[in-house]
Amino acid sequence: MDFYEMLGERDLNQRNMAMTVLEGEYLGEKALFADDKPVWTSEKKGFFQIHMQAFEKPEYKEAQISPQGIARIDGVKVFCELLGSEKKFVICGGGHVSIPVIQMGLMLGFHITVLEDRPKFADHARRAGAHEIICDSFEEGLEVPCLYRDDRKQAACEKGERSSY
């Protein structure tokens, strides 16, 4: 089975990562990991098979991957790419500003959820193509910190009734 066939069979609820060797004699060799366990390698007796025990060590977990996706495994540069989970975008408010944001999110392949407490504006978001509309108050509809469009709600938020960012 090749890399893309194996990738297509991965469970999106797992933490999937593709790794590619960037230098040395194993240049270009690939591996696919699911929940930090190898599930496929391009070479049966290649880099990832030889260095398998290195992946068991705590120092080779995600913390060692640079923001650019580069890790060093036994001194060799390896590109690491997290794969697979659905991209989700939650937009609070369905007014005129949210409509182009919804459309851009759709173009980028996001699953769009809009939280709007006004039925008329919720309908605008639905017509713009949002996948899911939650027509409820922000206090009831969110389980996460938020920034409100309404100054009065933001003031209540800042008083500790709701945390904000």
Side-chain angles (χ1 to χ4, degrees):
M1 186 175 289
D2 78 356
F3 177 78
Y4 294 103
E5 290 172 330
M6 182 58 85
L7 186 59
E9 292 183 6
R10 300 304 336 131
D11 179 355
L12 295 180
N13 294 316
Q14 291 181 309
R15 182 179 174 275
N16 297 301
M17 182 180 291
M19 294 184 166
T20 306
V21 178
L22 297 177
E23 62 186 16
E25 68 178 289
Y26 300 105
L27 176 68
E29 188 175 323
K30 294 184 179 305
L32 184 60
F33 286 73
D35 291 334
D36 297 321
K37 295 181 181 84
V39 293
W40 179 88
T41 58
S42 60
E43 301 295 328
K44 295 301 175 208
K45 293 185 180 182
F47 178 83
F48 294 102
Q49 294 295 323
I50 293 168
H51 298 279
M52 198 60 66
Q53 68 275 11
F55 297 106
E56 302 299 321
K57 298 177 185 176
E59 63 265 23
Y60 290 105
K61 297 294 180 190
E62 187 175 338
Q64 295 299 311
I65 300 171
S66 75
Q68 296 79 23
I70 306 295
R72 287 212 169 261
I73 299 171
D74 290 340
V76 177
K77 280 172 65 172
V78 176
F79 178 69
C80 305
E81 180 180 10
L82 284 173
L83 307 168
S85 61
E86 182 178 35
K87 299 181 291 186
K88 297 179 181 181
F89 193 0
V90 177
I91 301 170
C92 297
H96 71 280
V97 172
S98 71
I99 302 307
V101 175
I102 291 168
Q103 294 167 341
M104 286 186 286
L106 291 169
M107 286 187 273
L108 293 170
F110 284 88
H111 178 276
I112 306 293
T113 300
V114 175
L115 175 61
E116 175 54 69
D117 56 353
R118 302 164 293 179
K120 179 181 177 181
F121 289 94
D123 193 47
H124 293 317
R126 183 175 291 105
R127 284 191 305 237
H131 297 101
E132 183 178 359
I133 310 294
I134 301 171
C135 193
D136 203 348
S137 69
F138 292 153
E139 292 83 5
E140 295 298 318
L142 283 176
E143 298 281 327
V144 297
C146 62
L147 180 64
Y148 293 106
R149 71 172 185 282
D150 183 305
D151 290 338
R152 290 171 296 185
K153 289 183 180 181
Q154 186 65 37
C157 173
E158 290 169 0
K159 288 179 188 171
E161 296 173 23
R162 196 89 180 134
S163 58
S164 67
Y165 58 86

